[in-house]
Amino acid sequence: MKRWVRWIFPALFFLAAAAVIWFLHLFVQVDVSMSYIDWSSSVRISSDGTEEPFSFETYSDNTALTGTYRFTGALPEDLPAGYLLVEITGLNLTLELNGETLCEAQASSVTDDWPMSQVTVPLPEGVSGELVLTCEILDGTRAMFPPLLRFLPENLNTIQDTAFANRAAFPAGAAALALLLIFGIFLLGISQKQPDLSLIPLMLATSGLVISQIIPMEGIYFLPSGIVRILGRQEIALLVVLFLLIYLAMNRRRRFWKYLGTAAAWSAGAFLICYLVSCSDGGYLSRYINGALLPELQSGIYNGFLYWISLWLAFASALISAYGVMNSLAEHRAGEQALRMKNRLVTESYRALEEGLLRDAGQRHEYRHQLTALQCLYENGSYEGIGELLASLLDKPEIQTSFTGNRTINTILQGAAAKAARQEIRFSASAHAPDSLNIPDSDLCALLMNMLDNALEAAQKVAPGTAPYVEIQIRAVGLYLAIKCENTFCGEIRKDKKGNLMTTKTGSGAHGFGLQQMEEIAEKYRSVLEISDNGNGIFTVETALRIPD
C-alpha cells in the first residue's frame, strides 16, 4: 500500500472524531445572550414641564438625584421572542414602544430579603422600534439609575442551565465513544484489506443511540426546530434495535457468540458488585436503578432499559471486533514472517542448485579429459585400460541436461529434474526464455520452485499403477513469460467459500504460504494464477508474467 494511502485512514478517523465532538459541543454552547438597551438621548423634566438635556457616565444603585427623567433608545431588529427586564426599586416608570405603552410600574420600598424589584415585559419575535422610558425617582438610595433596561431571549436561563449541567451528556458521550471505537476498527480492517462489513450496521446503531438520547431531551434548545422534528422521532430508537439485530445476524459465527456470552457473564457480575456497593453506600447507581429504572419497567416503559442494553451491546461488540482485528493483524504478520523465511529458504535452495551446476560444469570439464584419455588408450590398443576407465566413468553420477540458456531457470529445472529422478517421476521440461530477463532471480525462484515442489509432491502421491509425471513449459511470448506446469495427482482439490484453493497439508504445521507466494508474484507482474484440474487426475497451474521494460 502506498504511503500516502496509509494516511487517509488516520485522517478519516480524526475527521470523524472532530465531527462527533462538534456535534456534542452544540449542546454545551449558548448562542443566545442578554442584550443591553443603550440610551441614545436623555432629558430631565422640570415641574413646569420644560426639558433640559441630561448626561450620565455610569449606572448606580444609589443616587442623590431627584425629579423626573426621560430616556430614549432603539430596540434592535431581528430579535427572537423574549422579554424586557428593568429594575423598578425606588422608581415610578412608564415604558413605551413606538408610542404604545408597554407597562407602568413603581416600587417605592423593598425588603432586605428581596433588595431589588424587577418588572418584565414580554415581546414577540421580530418586534423593533423606538423605546421611551419615563421615570420618577422615589427613593434615590435604592434606585438603579439611570434605569438599566435589557432584552433576554426566551428560555435563556433554561438553555444556560442545560448547557452547563447537561443531563444527557454522559450517555450520549458514551455512545459517541463507542461509535468512534467501531469506526476506527472498521478503518483498520480496510487498511489491512480485511474490512468487517458487519460493523456498518453497528455504527448506524451507535449513531442512533447518540441521537435518540440527546436530541429529544435537549435538541429544542440548541438545534433548528426542523432538525429536531426529524431526528427527535421515536422511530430512531426502533432503528437502533433493527441495526443491532442486523449486526447480530451478520455475526453468526460460534466464536463471536462465545465471546459475547463471556462478556455478558463478566459484565453482569461486575454490575451486580457495583450495585451492591452502591446500595451499601447509598450511591447514585442504586438510586437511579431503584428510583428511575425499575419504576419505568414496572410502568411498561422500556426506553431507558433498552438504551443501556443497546449501549452495552455496542461496546461489547466493538471490543470483540477489536480483538478479532488485532488477532487477524497478528496472523497476517506471522504469515508475512513465514513468507520471508520461505523466501530465504528458496534463495538458499537456489544457491545450492547453482553451486551444484558449477560442480557439474567442473565434472563435464573432467569428462572431456577422460575422453581424451580414452582416445589415447584406443590409439595405443590398450583395451584393458579402456575397460578400467569406462568402469570408473559408469560409477560417476549422471550429467544433468541443459534446458535453457537462462541460468536461473536452467538451474531450477535441473534441480527439479534431479529430484524427480530420485523419486522415479517422469520429468519433462521445455524452456525457451531469453538469457537475461528483467525479472529478479528471487521472484523467479519463489514462483518456479514453489510450483515445481508442489507438482513433485502431488505426483509422488498418485495411486499405485499410475505413472507419475511432471511437465513444465516456459515460453517468452512478446512482453510476457508464459508458464504452464502440469502434473498427476491423487486426491480432492479443497477450496474455501470464495473459491480460493486451500492447502492440502494437514496437521498443526499446515500452511499455504507457497501458493500465497505464487499468487502475490503473479499479481506483482500484472497476472493471475490459473489453477485447474481436468477431472482425470491431471492438475494444471498457468500464468503469464508481464516482463518489465
Side-chain angles (χ1 to χ4, degrees), residues 31-42:
D31 293 332
V32 294
S33 61
M34 180 172 57
S35 303
Y36 290 91
I37 305 300
D38 294 327
W39 301 120
S40 58
S41 64
S42 55

Side-chain angles (χ1 to χ4, degrees), residues 59-348:
Y59 289 88
S60 174
D61 59 356
N62 188 349
T63 179
L65 296 175
T66 59
T68 303
Y69 298 84
R70 184 170 64 244
F71 300 88
T72 304
L75 188 65
E77 297 180 354
D78 300 326
L79 288 176
Y83 57 90
L84 293 172
L85 175 67
V86 61
E87 284 77 11
I88 61 171
T89 302
L91 298 176
N92 178 15
L93 61 80
T94 301
L95 181 63
E96 299 177 351
L97 176 62
N98 298 326
E100 181 180 351
T101 301
L102 295 180
C103 74
E104 294 180 349
Q106 72 173 21
S108 58
S109 62
V110 295
T111 64
D112 293 335
D113 295 335
W114 192 257
M116 191 69 69
S117 298
Q118 296 176 325
V119 64
T120 58
V121 181
L123 291 179
E125 182 180 358
V127 66
S128 62
E130 184 183 56
L131 283 171
V132 177
L133 188 148
T134 304
C135 69
E136 178 186 1
I137 300 177
L138 303 177
D139 183 0
T141 62
R142 296 281 188 170
M144 173 63 70
F145 190 85
L148 186 62
L149 185 64
R150 58 264 195 202
F151 173 80
L152 283 77
E154 191 176 31
N155 297 321
L156 176 63
N157 292 335
T158 303
I159 295 173
Q160 290 176 334
D161 293 343
T162 303
F164 289 112
N166 198 321
R167 60 194 177 97
F170 174 74
L177 180 62
L179 172 61
L180 290 177
L181 177 61
I182 296 166
F183 184 64
I185 296 169
F186 181 70
L187 291 179
L188 185 60
I190 294 178
S191 67
Q192 300 300 320
K193 299 181 180 179
Q194 295 178 338
D196 186 356
L197 298 181
S198 68
L199 293 177
I200 295 177
L202 189 59
M203 284 189 288
L204 294 175
T206 50
S207 300
L209 287 175
V210 177
I211 293 172
S212 64
Q213 184 64 23
I214 200 168
I215 289 184
M217 291 185 179
E218 296 158 3
I220 191 64
Y221 301 124
F222 304 98
L223 299 177
S225 58
I227 294 178
V228 175
R229 283 196 299 270
I230 296 173
L231 299 182
R233 299 176 63 88
Q234 294 296 325
E235 289 81 358
I236 298 293
L238 298 178
L239 288 177
V240 170
V241 176
L242 176 62
F243 287 132
L244 287 176
L245 292 176
I246 293 174
Y247 169 78
L248 294 176
M250 296 176 68
N251 288 274
R252 298 187 299 273
R253 300 182 301 274
R254 182 177 180 182
R255 178 181 296 182
F256 171 82
W257 287 99
K258 176 183 176 182
Y259 290 154
L260 188 62
T262 303
W266 280 100
S267 299
F271 174 78
L272 181 59
I273 293 173
C274 293
Y275 175 72
L276 294 176
V277 172
S278 180
C279 286
S280 63
D281 293 341
Y284 175 79
L285 178 61
S286 61
R287 294 201 307 272
Y288 169 72
I289 293 175
N290 298 332
L293 192 58
L294 290 179
E296 283 185 358
L297 294 176
Q298 292 171 358
S299 303
I301 301 174
Y302 302 102
N303 291 345
F305 177 76
L306 287 177
Y307 176 83
W308 291 113
I309 291 296
S310 301
L311 184 59
W312 172 85
L313 180 58
F315 263 110
S317 301
L319 294 176
I320 292 172
S321 299
Y323 174 77
V325 170
M326 299 308 296
N327 192 41
S328 177
L329 288 177
E331 291 179 355
H332 181 70
R333 290 180 180 176
E336 288 182 342
Q337 185 176 3
L339 283 176
R340 287 193 296 269
M341 184 179 297
K342 188 170 181 65
N343 277 335
R344 186 169 67 251
L345 293 175
V346 167
T347 303
E348 292 175 355

Side-chain angles (χ1 to χ4, degrees), residues 55 94 147 168 283 314 362 378 414 431 444 446 461 489-490 504 544:
S55 62
T94 301
Y378 172 75
Q414 284 186 338
L444 282 175
K461 298 177 181 178
F489 82 104
C490 179
T504 58

Side-chain angles (χ1 to χ4, degrees), residues 471-489:
E471 179 179 320
I472 185 169
Q473 299 177 10
I474 302 175
R475 297 280 188 278
V477 182
L479 299 177
Y480 292 87
L481 182 67
I483 302 171
K484 178 181 180 181
C485 183
E486 184 179 286
N487 62 272
T488 52
F489 82 104

